[in-house]
Amino acid sequence: MRMMKCRLCGFPYLLSRMIRWRDNGTISFTMLPDFRMILLESEMMTYIYARIEEKMGVAISHLVFEAQRNAVRSAVDSLLDRKPLSLARLWISKQLAARIFCRLAVWLGCGYVKGLRYRPKRYGEALIRNPFDRDYLTAIILGAYESLERRPFEHEWIKLDGEEVIRITTTETRPEFSERLEIDLQPLKDGDRVLPRCPSCGMPKDLAYLEWYDEEGEIVDNRRDERMIIIDPYSGSAVFRELEKELGEDIFPLIIDAGKDYTRSRILDPRKMSDNGEEISAEDREVFYRKSLSLLPLWGYGNPVSFRHEEGRFEVVVENPFNKYLLAGYLAALFEAVEEAESRVIWESTQPSSITYTARTV
């Protein structure tokens, strides 16, 4: 199944039919408007989880794996539980479904995945090259096939002609703690944000810098030579929820600081927008914040509906935030880039699916 791309913007044509950038700051599957996806740098969550593990002194990779497996299984369940897609669970259709899983992994930038063998209700094998994260991709594969077969799977990695191959086989049970990491879909608010669209495929024009590399299974931001992926945001929320149960509110600063440090190392220095390259005027702040916040709907992070700023303070209202902690870290990074001072971020939610963030210098 060759990747056919839009003649104007280069977006994979079939993918443009499967997912949508909506006017409320979210990305979702076309047939599942309430199931969110996000566009993010492929190393982001790996970095954040590693930072949390470093600060906590304990491993959380098992939580991440199960949360991601659950998130993918939930998404595929939602698709295959409805007609006519439910026909994919019939024996004769499972081979086609398996091929689509492999291609979707490529289109979403997760890596090159090619199915080799698949015996329904028994086992499957696929060649894997260039995974964005080996464990993440493994969890994604298991979650998809567990939904298709309605039974748990386990996996092993083998070598075949010098290539890495994942072999999945049916098993009896999942880990006991997996039940604590089921995903939680939050209600979404409607929006009226207008994104300039490609006239051919309807995808956002401002993402034309993305390039898909079929044989590598990569999406690359060609402005910065940065690998990107399209993935759900739910596994992170489930992991953070579980950590909160164990550590209470002490986990919040760890998550926020990890997200802030990751973002701070990658954002443009706002002084480059000023006339003299040093002092930042109120107008410079306005431009910097407005441009930075306009990226959120493109990434599926949420819909920034208002903001205001003054020296030493920044406030923004975001509807449908993808993750309240990571978004707090992102906003803190923006604020500290302008103020060149440590910040404290607080938030409150006075309406469903809407959060007001306030950053101040400390």
Side-chain angles (χ1 to χ4, degrees):
M1 193 183 300
R2 188 170 60 89
M3 183 184 290
M4 299 178 59
K5 298 181 181 179
C6 172
R7 58 186 175 81
L8 295 183
C9 71
F11 203 98
Y13 180 76
L14 288 177
L15 188 61
S16 72
R17 308 274 75 81
M18 297 173 73
I19 60 175
R20 287 285 183 269
W21 270 255
R22 302 188 181 276
D23 59 8
N24 61 355
T26 68
I27 307 169
S28 69
F29 284 109
T30 302
M31 297 185 66
L32 297 176
D34 294 329
F35 192 94
R36 299 180 64 166
M37 305 293 283
I38 53 174
L39 173 69
L40 80 165
E41 294 173 359
S42 62
E43 298 178 348
M44 178 176 170
M45 296 308 297
T46 302
Y47 173 91
I48 288 170
Y49 291 138
R51 279 287 304 274
I52 293 173
E53 287 184 329
E54 177 187 350
K55 295 296 183 180
M56 291 176 55
V58 297
I60 62 172
S61 57
H62 60 298
L63 301 179
V64 176
F65 188 95
E66 288 304 315
Q68 188 60 55
R69 169 156 57 175
N70 289 346
V72 173
R73 188 178 66 252
S74 177
V76 181
D77 278 349
S78 297
L79 286 169
L80 299 188
D81 285 348
R82 61 178 64 192
K83 295 180 179 180
L85 294 180
S86 57
L87 297 176
R89 287 196 170 109
L90 298 178
W91 187 282
I92 196 172
S93 303
K94 286 182 178 180
Q95 296 291 343
L96 176 60
R99 289 183 60 195
I100 293 174
F101 288 162
C102 293
R103 294 308 296 164
L104 190 58
V106 173
W107 296 336
L108 298 179
C110 296
Y112 180 80
V113 183
K114 180 182 179 181
L116 300 178
R117 283 176 287 274
Y118 176 42
R119 291 288 301 276
K121 297 185 179 181
R122 293 184 59 190
Y123 71 89
E125 292 179 354
L127 182 149
I128 306 292
R129 296 191 194 120
N130 195 31
F132 79 99
D133 182 289
R134 199 169 185 251
D135 290 339
Y136 249 113
L137 183 53
T138 301
I140 290 170
I141 292 170
L142 291 182
Y145 280 90
E146 287 180 353
S147 174
L148 183 63
E149 295 284 8
R150 289 177 168 162
R151 64 187 64 200
F153 275 79
E154 58 186 4
H155 76 282
E156 63 176 332
W157 289 90
I158 59 177
K159 285 285 187 179
L160 183 64
D161 297 329
E163 299 272 18
E164 278 204 317
V165 170
I166 187 171
R167 179 181 174 89
I168 62 172
T169 53
T170 57
T171 186
E172 295 300 320
T173 61
R174 301 181 189 92
E176 183 178 347
F177 65 88
S178 179
E179 294 182 3
R180 306 199 304 266
L181 293 158
E182 294 292 344
I183 70 168
D184 181 19
L185 297 184
Q186 297 295 318
L188 299 176
K189 296 189 71 169
D190 294 333
D192 57 5
R193 179 167 293 273
V194 177
L195 298 175
R197 303 281 180 165
C198 171
S200 179
C201 69
M203 293 296 100
K205 279 186 176 181
D206 291 338
L207 291 177
Y209 54 78
L210 296 179
E211 181 70 32
W212 273 258
Y213 295 92
D214 194 9
E215 292 303 315
E216 289 78 30
E218 282 190 0
I219 306 170
V220 176
D221 178 344
N222 281 334
R223 303 168 306 168
R224 304 173 297 146
D225 194 29
E226 187 78 48
R227 184 171 181 177
M228 310 293 289
I229 57 173
I230 301 174
I231 198 168
D232 72 90
Y234 300 109
S235 61
S237 298
V239 171
F240 299 156
R241 184 185 68 219
E242 184 66 15
L243 293 177
E244 183 182 352
K245 291 178 182 177
E246 296 181 10
L247 300 177
E249 295 186 358
D250 290 343
I251 192 61
F252 299 164
L254 299 183
I255 303 170
I256 293 170
D257 286 346
K260 179 181 69 176
D261 293 345
Y262 183 89
T263 301
R264 188 71 179 90
S265 66
R266 285 162 168 77
I267 59 177
L268 178 70
D269 185 344
R271 278 148 190 76
K272 293 182 179 180
M273 297 182 181
S274 65
D275 293 334
N276 58 18
E278 295 181 3
E279 295 183 3
I280 303 177
S281 67
E283 291 76 16
D284 293 331
R285 285 185 171 89
E286 179 83 15
V287 171
F288 178 76
Y289 284 133
R290 191 173 297 280
K291 285 186 175 180
S292 299
L293 293 175
S294 70
L295 298 175
L296 300 185
L298 291 173
W299 299 336
Y301 280 17
N303 186 19
V305 294
S306 67
F307 77 96
R308 56 182 179 175
H309 62 91
E310 57 191 39
E311 189 171 351
R313 188 175 184 276
F314 172 56
E315 181 180 289
V316 58
V317 178
V318 181
E319 294 180 348
N320 305 321
F322 82 107
N323 184 293
K324 61 183 177 183
Y325 308 120
L326 295 180
L327 193 53
Y330 175 78
L331 297 174
L334 299 184
F335 181 73
E336 292 184 8
V338 171
E339 299 296 334
E340 292 191 311
E342 289 292 319
S343 69
R344 178 172 179 262
V345 179
I346 60 174
W347 62 82
E348 62 176 347
S349 181
T350 57
Q351 301 179 41
S353 305
S354 179
I355 296 180
T356 301
Y357 290 94
T358 304
R360 295 188 177 91
T361 54
V362 295

